[in-house]
Amino acid sequence: MQDYPKNLAGRCAIITGGSRGIGRAVALELAARGANIVFSYAGNAAAAEKTRADVAAFGVEVRAIQANATDPEAAGTLVDAAKELGGVDILVNNAGITRDKLAARMSAEDFEAVIATNLTGAFLMTKAVLRPMMRTRAGAIVNLSSVVGLRGNAGQANYAASKAGLIGMTKSIAREVAAVGIRVNAVAPGFIATDMTDAMSEAARTATLAQIPAGHLGEPEDVAHAVAFLVSDESAYITGQVIAIDGGMSM
Ligand code: NAP
């Protein structure tokens, strides 16, 4: 990994779903920039251990905690772990799932499961960090939305609703806490090469590529760079925004 300035030294970041994909890339870049890391994962202990070791190699403190995004008590556990590492400065709401089906065939359970993890989970985690952040009158929160939350996508009514919901939540909470020094932003990745997009059919992949002006999928690091900017002091006057990281797909 390239040599980053240690502009986040002494801060602590909570990242949900940090074991794989985009969350892992975010954990690595924030650690490379000097931040201590607390990350959650759903159940893949081997991936979590690999990320924990790779983050620790940057010489920062790291805690990997199995914590379901839908569990309000788990949010408190992550905050407590961050407090032990110095405080809650940064939250990246990244944990997310898909359960794709055309709406006519989608069960209410598939709809609700995706909303519970992607949207309610981010709300519970945000709620848990706001009080400690208000106490220090500082903090940066980034929510992982999606280009699908901006444009919709056939077969993803549940996922699109969760990601559009995150944008509304980002802007609402940004308005609530801007005056106390807390910033809330969102990123909207397009199609990024992770396990999530590996699960796409070849036909869906070909159709998607045709919609990307850049002509290729993004990498998790492309998203991590934008998140690192949004949690840094360089973005001190940016709040309530949504940055698309999509090779031009949503323009
Ligand atoms: P991924 O490769 O499938 O990784 C998902 C991560 O979230 C894993 O660390 C997983 O933990 C964790 N996770 C899943 N369900 C969880 C739960 N209920 N509680 C706690 N952690 C949970 O996904 P990704 O592609 O990196 O996506 C990360 C985020 O970016 C998601 O919010 C996704 O919607 C968003 N996004 C992705 C893309 C894309 O093209 N990939 C595009 C736009 C937005 P385990 O390892 O334990 O399973």
Side-chain angles (χ1 to χ4, degrees), residues 16-24 40-45 47-48 67-70 93-98 117-118 144-148 159 163 166 187-197 220:
T16 63
S19 47
R20 291 184 287 120
I22 293 169
R24 172 183 153 85
S40 68
Y41 63 100
N44 191 334
N68 199 301
T70 59
N93 281 312
N94 166 82
I97 57 167
T98 53
T117 299
N118 300 7
L144 266 289
S145 179
S146 166
V147 65
V148 168
Y159 184 78
K163 296 300 179 180
L166 277 173
V187 290
F191 282 78
I192 309 296
T194 68
D195 293 343
M196 189 177 270
T197 41

Side-chain angles (χ1 to χ4, degrees), residues 70 97-99 107-120 158 162:
T70 59
I97 57 167
T98 53
R99 282 202 193 173
S107 67
E109 196 212 338
D110 280 343
F111 189 87
E112 281 161 10
V114 171
I115 298 288
T117 299
N118 300 7
L119 181 57
T120 311
N158 49 1
S162 74

Side-chain angles (χ1 to χ4, degrees), residues 199-211:
M200 284 166 76
S201 69
E202 204 46 51
R205 178 177 295 266
T206 307
T208 299
L209 275 175
Q211 298 174 51

Side-chain angles (χ1 to χ4, degrees), residues 9 85 128:
L85 300 187

Side-chain angles (χ1 to χ4, degrees), residues 32-227:
R33 292 176 177 279
N36 294 326
I37 305 290
V38 173
F39 74 84
S40 68
Y41 63 100
N44 191 334
E49 174 47 28
K50 175 155 177 31
T51 298
R52 192 204 59 74
D54 291 345
V55 168
F58 289 103
V60 300
E61 294 288 337
V62 52
R63 302 284 183 273
I65 297 174
Q66 183 174 13
N68 199 301
T70 59
D71 177 359
E73 279 181 28
T77 305
L78 295 174
V79 169
D80 289 344
K83 284 180 180 164
E84 280 172 24
L85 300 187
V88 191
D89 305 295
I90 294 163
L91 168 65
V92 182
N93 281 312
N94 166 82
I97 57 167
T98 53
R99 282 202 193 173
D100 299 351
K101 268 199 183 85
L102 294 174
R105 292 193 201 131
M106 186 181 287
S107 67
E109 196 212 338
D110 280 343
F111 189 87
E112 281 161 10
V114 171
I115 298 288
T117 299
N118 300 7
L119 181 57
T120 311
F123 169 72
L124 294 171
M125 202 59 245
T126 302
K127 189 172 158 60
V129 302
L130 281 181
R131 214 176 282 267
M133 285 182 175
M134 281 172 175
R135 228 171 270 135
T136 56
R137 298 185 71 83
I141 299 170
V142 178
N143 294 318
L144 266 289
S145 179
S146 166
V147 65
V148 168
L150 299 168
R151 301 181 6 152
N153 196 24
Q156 291 196 306
N158 49 1
Y159 184 78
S162 74
K163 296 300 179 180
L166 277 173
I167 292 173
M169 191 175 88
T170 297
K171 295 184 180 196
S172 300
I173 300 177
R175 287 179 185 276
E176 291 178 13
V177 298
V180 288
I182 304 168
R183 299 181 299 106
V184 191
N185 289 291
V187 290
F191 282 78
I192 309 296
T194 68
D195 293 343
M196 189 177 270
T197 41
D198 271 358
M200 284 166 76
S201 69
E202 204 46 51
R205 178 177 295 266
T206 307
T208 299
L209 275 175
Q211 298 174 51
I212 305 174
H216 60 88
L217 267 62
E219 296 297 327
E221 292 73 19
D222 294 323
V223 182
H225 297 330
V227 173

